[in-house]
Amino acid sequence: MRLRNKVAVVTGGASGIGKAIAAAYVQEGARVVLVDIDERKGKDAAAEIGAEGEAVCLRADVTDSASVNQMAQEVDRRFGRIDILVNNVGVRITKPFLEHTDADWNIMIATNLTGPFFCARAVTPFMIRGGSGRIINTASIASFVGRPNRVAYVSAKSGLLGMTRALAIDLGGTGITVNAIAPGSINSPMNASQAADADHDWGKETPVGRWGTPEDIANAALFLALDASSYITGAELKVDGGWVSTKARAGELA
Ligand SMILES: NC(=O)c1ccc[n+]([C@@H]2O[C@H](COP(=O)([O-])OP(=O)(O)OC[C@H]3O[C@@H](n4cnc5c(N)ncnc54)[C@H](O)[C@@H]3O)[C@@H](O)[C@H]2O)c1
């Protein structure tokens, strides 16, 4: 029970990676707020993960600062503290560069970059009041390398690493650490079509030789949330089965 008495906010907690992180935190004794735009799915996920009071869902849209500020106030009102924020919401548009519309670009930046900024800004005063905190941003392998047909997603996820480093400095000395996790190919709803595509098996492109699971990411998010991680800040942890390090293709490993 390494997170006993902690209160965690996990955005995008209704699905995939966020849901797995929320479940891992509950298992370690935290009370967890799943923040999601899809309230129905969020409530179902909360009920699946923990008993009433261990996991709850609050609806908020991370692209809307008023909605995010209200969410943080509500978490503090209900639980009296906020110790951990996992900025995990993310959406991905995949299409050729010249087909990206203004709306495509704006939604990628608003959701994947501005949202984490709004959420961090909203919870930080409560963490400062408590004397410590953990902000964990879900970046991507697309934060490190260009990926085809994802110009807006790659731009936003690269920016999220910059924000991680800058916030680590600005919050230095407050007891709050700010780090990023960069998942590789994770078998979550976001990748449902690719995971089913035997001709383009991303798992085979990965040195470890398999797709990652949401639980692989949750293990890293647990580590960064612990008191024992207090000397780690401004860091990025790739959880990608080695994909970025080698850029290996099928057959090249032998
Ligand atoms: N799945 C992967 O392979 C992979 C790889 C690298 C990075 N990531 C990143 O991991 C994170 C989680 O990915 P996932 O695969 O679990 O995604 P997912 O699609 O399963 O879940 C995303 C959740 O975010 C919620 N959401 C979307 N827009 C929102 C908004 N404006 N406000 C509040 N909630 C909103 C959705 O309702 C959903 O529950 C994302 O940031 C994604 O970019 C995923």
Side-chain angles (χ1 to χ4, degrees), residues 61 75 101 210 221 249:
D61 177 352
V75 175
T101 63
R210 64 166 174 88
R249 291 178 187 281

Side-chain angles (χ1 to χ4, degrees), residues 2-131:
R2 290 171 289 174
L3 297 179
R4 192 192 296 279
N5 299 325
K6 306 278 190 196
V7 173
V9 170
V10 180
T11 74
S15 175
I17 291 170
K19 186 175 163 188
I21 293 172
Y25 287 178
V26 166
Q27 274 169 20
E28 289 288 346
R31 287 168 292 162
V32 180
V33 182
L34 284 64
V35 171
D36 209 284
I37 203 166
D38 188 334
E39 191 173 20
R40 182 68 268 146
K41 211 163 53 155
K43 285 193 164 153
D44 289 348
E48 203 183 306
I49 287 168
E52 183 70 35
E54 289 177 338
V56 298
C57 169
L58 277 184
R59 188 194 175 280
D61 177 352
V62 301
T63 68
D64 174 350
S65 64
S67 170
V68 165
N69 292 340
Q70 203 179 0
M71 172 278 291
Q73 297 282 349
E74 180 62 14
V75 175
D76 184 60
R77 192 187 68 74
R78 285 201 207 178
F79 296 101
R81 56 192 297 140
I82 302 177
D83 302 286
I84 301 160
L85 166 68
V86 185
N87 266 322
N88 170 76
V89 163
V91 289
R92 188 181 66 215
I93 289 171
T94 308
K95 56 163 70 164
F97 164 47
L98 290 178
E99 290 175 22
H100 273 71
T101 63
D102 292 5
D104 291 335
W105 175 265
N106 289 336
I107 194 73
M108 287 293 94
I109 301 299
T111 313
N112 297 318
L113 185 56
T114 309
F117 167 73
F118 285 161
C119 292
R121 192 180 58 182
V123 304
T124 292
F126 301 107
M127 292 179 173
I128 289 174
R129 189 189 66 195

